[in-house]
């Protein structure tokens, strides 16, 4: 079977690839070709750096090192992700750029119900960490290059693929073809490989965008992450890592599609005032605003996470609404599970039984987290009046019912299904 694609995505791979790209040619197939060098593809490449498997990493984005800035985009990583990043060897350095999340505070505008979680109740140092996204990518890529194990094909993209009995032939748009026994599709939410293979998705356009920025507040956040459900959409404020300053927060405001253009056009003063009115005074006054970026939001869940000699990981397997901050966390568990299975496997890495085992191990975790996230969006971003009471009850139950609290807490820490061995014992 042969399939070809004329388009690609503009994902967010980071890091400087000083190594010159190779020209691909079919000679001996590589054991594993990773298509996409975003956070998840680079994690898989690093996790395989000590394995006897030969590895290729293909990424179209050119190197673009970004100097740190106070308003750079961050993502929240949970406890399991922190353990996986530690096992990959990047955590000691990454931790210097990470703001610990010691507690969370979930509320709804105009209601008293509040749900709180703390690292103390979980017996952990932190519930998670807010980390600059570019720094994660930069460190992963630095380590991949330092190991020198993976052959790097960048900037290049996969334009077509042909299935053979014992390998997949990947045609690269930079010229040449690469043969691989196993293809790891880490090519993002729009996954060109998924389209080339005709794999179906569940797709829901939320008709919302996330406006992401940073704010300076007059009161310290003290490590607390806030989620506030407002009639203008959920608004999250998370501690931001910047020179140990406790007054900076990442701000993520889910915005109905019809209001995105006007919110993006507000002056900084107007935006600060409107966000303040929605969030309230818990962090004092909002006094400085960072750059704003808007991300259209959709749920794209692949109906299958494997095809013959191909597996899907990260956003290529499932791309979620960021309201529960789970997309990268879930994708990293895809990566760690795959790395673990490949490490324990002898023989053909494209073996159908191995890929089925991957799909089975990932199934419960993917379904649970994707459905939980979707449920939150539907109940909490919906303006139907009947849902207000339900939301209120939900928050009260979350605060007062120990079994529910426990289940939600451990799910958000990353323990929602099969836990990769490197993160198995909570500590
Ligand atoms: C506003 C917002 C906030 C978020 N906050 C959080 C959070 O707090 N916590 C969390 O866990 N998650 C969060 N997420 C989700 C998280 O950012 C993503 O899940 C994660 O970055 C996905 O990484 P990825 O490597 O799977 O995909 P991508 O970053 O999309 O990488 C895909 C890669 O594939 C490459 N590629 C594309 N086409 C080809 C091709 N033809 N050939 C080769 N390569 C190709 C691209 O160049 C890209 O580098 C958030 C998302 C958004 C939008």
């Amino acid at each position: 079977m042969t399939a070809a694609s004329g388009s690609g995505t503009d994902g967010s791979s980071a890091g400087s690839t000083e190594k010159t790209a190779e020209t691909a040619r079919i000679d001996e197939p590589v054991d594993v070709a990773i298509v996409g060098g975003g956070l998840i593809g680079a994690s898989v490449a690093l996790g395989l750096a000590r394995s006897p498997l030969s590895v290729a990493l293909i990424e179209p984005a050119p190197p673009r090192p970004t100097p740190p800035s106070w308003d750079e985009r961050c993502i929240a990583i949970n406890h399991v992700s922190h353990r996986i990043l530690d096992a990959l060897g990047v955590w000691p350095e990454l931790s210097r750029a990470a703001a610990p999340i010691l507690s969370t505070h979930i509320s709804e505008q105009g209601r008293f119900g509040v749900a709180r979680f703390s690292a103390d109740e979980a017996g952990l140092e932190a519930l998670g960490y807010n980390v600059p996204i570019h720094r994660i990518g930069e460190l992963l890529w630095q380590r991949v290059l330092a190991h020198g194990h993976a052959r790097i094909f960048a900037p290049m993209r996969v334009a077509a693929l042909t299935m053979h009995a014992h390998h997949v032939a990947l045609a690269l748009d930079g010229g040449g073809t690469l043969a691989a026994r196993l293809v790891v599709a880490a090519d993002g939410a729009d996954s060109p490989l998924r389209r080339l293979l005709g794999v179906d998705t569940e797709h829901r356009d939320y008709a919302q965008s996330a406006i992401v920025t940073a704010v300076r507040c007059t009161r310290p956040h003290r490590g607390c992450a806030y989620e506030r459900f407002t009639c203008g959409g959920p608004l999250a404020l998370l501690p931001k890592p910047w020179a140990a300053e406790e007054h900076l927060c990442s701000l993520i405001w889910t915005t109905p599609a019809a209001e995105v253009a006007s919110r993006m056009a507000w002056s900084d003063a107007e935006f600060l005032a409107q966000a303040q009115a929605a969030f309230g005074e818990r962090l004092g006054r909002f006094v400085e605003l960072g750059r704003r970026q808007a991300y259209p939001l959709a749920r794209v869940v692949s109906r299958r996470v494997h095809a013959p000699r191909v597996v899907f990981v990260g956003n290529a397997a499932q791309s979620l609404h960021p309201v529960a901050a789970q997309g990268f966390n879930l994708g990293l568990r895809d990566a760690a599970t795959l790395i673990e299975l490949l490490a324990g496997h002898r023989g053909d890495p494209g073996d159908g039984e191995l890929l089925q085992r991957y799909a089975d191990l990932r199934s419960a975790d993917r379904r649970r987290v994707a459905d939980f996230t979707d449920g939150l969006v539907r109940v909490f971003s919906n303006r139907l009046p009947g849902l207000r009471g339900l939301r209120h009850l939900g928050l009260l139950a979350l605060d007062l019912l120990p079994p529910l609290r426990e289940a939600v807490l451990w799910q958000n820490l990353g323990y929602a299904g099969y836990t990769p061995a490197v993160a198995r014992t909570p500590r």
Side-chain angles (χ1 to χ4, degrees), residues 5 7-14 34-42 58-61 64 73-78 81 129-130 133 141 153 156-160 172-173 185-193 195-196 209-212 238 252 293-297 313-331:
S5 159
S7 64
T9 66
D10 62 347
S12 60
S13 116
I34 303 162
V35 179
L39 300 187
I40 301 303
I58 305 150
E59 166 56 42
R64 41 182 167 176
R73 188 181 151 203
C74 291
I75 55 173
I77 64 163
N78 64 21
S81 294
Y129 298 85
N130 199 28
I133 198 163
W141 266 89
F153 297 91
M156 275 186 210
R157 73 175 67 236
V158 171
L172 305 186
D173 69 352
D187 50 351
D190 293 333
S191 178
L193 285 193
R195 273 188 274 117
L196 290 172
S209 286
I211 299 181
V212 179
L238 291 93
I252 301 128
Q293 283 175 292
Y295 298 84
L297 301 177
V313 292
N315 271 23
Q318 64 277 313
S319 171
L320 307 180
H321 193 294
V323 67
Q326 292 296 328
F328 169 68
N329 291 306
L330 195 57

Side-chain angles (χ1 to χ4, degrees), residues 308-362:
R309 296 196 173 274
V310 180
V311 278
F312 294 91
V313 292
N315 271 23
Q318 64 277 313
S319 171
L320 307 180
H321 193 294
V323 67
Q326 292 296 328
F328 169 68
N329 291 306
L330 195 57
L332 200 55
R333 301 203 287 280
D334 294 342
T337 305
L338 182 64
I339 293 162
E340 183 180 312
L341 287 174
L342 288 171
H345 182 76
R346 297 290 163 263
D348 183 356
D351 173 42
E353 280 182 29
L354 179 80
L355 307 191
Q356 184 59 52
R357 176 106 181 101
Y358 166 78
D360 292 344
L361 289 179
R362 293 306 301 135

Side-chain angles (χ1 to χ4, degrees), residues 84-170:
I84 295 170
L85 291 167
D86 200 22
L88 289 174
V90 293
W91 182 251
E93 206 161 329
L94 191 58
S95 65
R96 289 190 223 136
I101 298 169
L102 306 177
S103 60
T104 57
H105 179 287
I106 308 164
S107 64
E108 188 181 9
Q109 192 178 26
R111 293 274 180 163
F112 289 113
V114 166
R116 295 184 186 84
F117 293 95
S118 72
D120 280 351
E121 73 178 293
L124 300 171
E125 266 178 35
L127 293 171
Y129 298 85
N130 199 28
V131 194
I133 198 163
H134 94 263
R135 189 66 185 135
I136 308 176
E138 197 170 68
L139 283 172
L140 289 169
W141 266 89
Q142 271 174 16
R143 297 295 148 89
V144 169
L145 294 174
H147 275 286
H149 181 71
R151 291 166 63 180
I152 306 295
F153 297 91
M156 275 186 210
R157 73 175 67 236
V158 171
L161 56 78
T162 311
M163 312 300 284
H164 297 271
H166 300 289
H167 70 269
V168 180
L170 300 170

